[in-house]
Every structure is written in C-alpha cells, then in structure tokens.
Amino acid sequence: MIGTLLAGMCAVTVYVSPSADAVYGPEIREALGVISAASGVQFRQDPMDGDLDLFAADVAAAGPEAAGYYWEDQIVLTPEPSKYYYEYQTPRMQHNFRLRLVVHELMHFFGAGHSEDTRSVTYRYAGDNRVRLSAGDVSFLDSLECK
C-alpha cells in the first residue's frame, strides 16, 4: 500500500465485510473521514476486495488485551467490543472507544507504529475519550504527502 501512496496516487479502496459493518459501520466511516481530512488520502469503498479489508473476527491471536490488529492489508476488529467497556461508560464513550480502535488500526495500515504519547491514537491502549489526532499523528499523516 505504501508503494501506491509513494507513487502519488493517494487513493485507497476499502472493503468492509458485513460483520465489520454491523458492529463498526458508523465508526469506520467516521475514521476514514478523519484520516482523509488529515492526510488528503481519498478512500473509496469496494464491494468485493480492496487495498484494505476490514473484518470483525476473533482477535485472540494478537494477544489477550488486543481489541484489534492490522496484518497484511487487513484490519481485524473484535466482534465483541462490549467486552472492553466499563460499567460506567455512556454510549458516547463506547462509540469513542470503537472509533479510536478503527483510527488506530488505520494508522498502522499507513505505516505508523505505536507511540509512547498517551494523546496519540497510536498509543498502545485505546481509551474512550474523544478522538483527536496528536501533533505526532498529524505529522505522520502529513508525511504521506497527499494534500
């Protein structure tokens, strides 16, 4: 994928499986908008197969605390995000957790690693606060040179 961006195309086709759309549909669409606004990358949905494919499936292979992972142009998200919710979380906080998870994995798709900055969406642990890109996140997305 990075080769496509370096070639100046700055466009990504995305396949969203029915399972991912059922659990994360609004958050996936919002996350694609956040990344597009910050980077200039344009996303287009593909009904069969994309440069990036999103699924909701078992994430146990990524470790006991993982809620999702990126591997070989696929983002796999837990089909049960509610097992990561706390009793006191409001629906808005739950939405923020799902959105942060999707944005986090999208950043990995573009080549970002984990950050030690707790404000970054690539910080190892997802929170439920409002998703805002940190200065480091914005700098990374600017480096894609798609604006």
Side-chain angles (χ1 to χ4, degrees), residues 34-86:
V34 166
I35 297 293
S36 183
S39 68
V41 172
Q42 297 300 306
F43 295 96
R44 181 176 55 83
Q45 194 158 349
D46 188 298
M48 299 299 284
D49 184 33
D51 300 316
L52 172 65
D53 301 329
L54 288 96
F55 299 95
D58 182 20
V59 296
E65 295 181 357
Y69 63 89
Y70 166 73
W71 182 257
E72 297 184 358
D73 297 336
Q74 294 183 354
I75 291 175
V76 181
L77 306 163
T78 179
E80 300 178 86
S82 61
K83 77 179 194 177
Y84 298 91
Y85 299 159
Y86 297 101

Side-chain angles (χ1 to χ4, degrees), residues 53-133:
D53 301 329
L54 288 96
F55 299 95
D58 182 20
V59 296
E65 295 181 357
Y69 63 89
Y70 166 73
W71 182 257
E72 297 184 358
D73 297 336
Q74 294 183 354
I75 291 175
V76 181
L77 306 163
T78 179
E80 300 178 86
S82 61
K83 77 179 194 177
Y84 298 91
Y85 299 159
Y86 297 101
E87 187 176 315
Y88 63 83
Q89 283 179 308
T90 65
R92 170 53 69 190
M93 294 165 84
Q94 294 169 4
H95 165 79
N96 289 343
F97 172 82
R98 292 188 307 269
L99 177 59
R100 181 171 291 278
L101 177 61
V102 175
V103 172
H104 176 101
E105 298 305 337
L106 281 169
M107 292 287 285
H108 287 322
F109 170 71
F110 286 110
H114 284 127
S115 172
E116 296 302 315
D117 180 354
T118 59
R119 297 166 298 184
S120 172
V121 295
T122 57
Y123 183 64
R124 188 169 305 279
Y125 301 103
D128 59 14
N129 54 329
R130 186 169 175 223
V131 174
R132 295 181 190 197
L133 299 175

Side-chain angles (χ1 to χ4, degrees), residues 14-37:
V14 179
Y15 166 71
V16 180
S17 72
S19 62
D21 193 49
V23 180
Y24 295 93
E27 291 82 11
I28 290 170
R29 289 182 282 285
E30 188 174 345
L32 294 174
V34 166
I35 297 293
S36 183

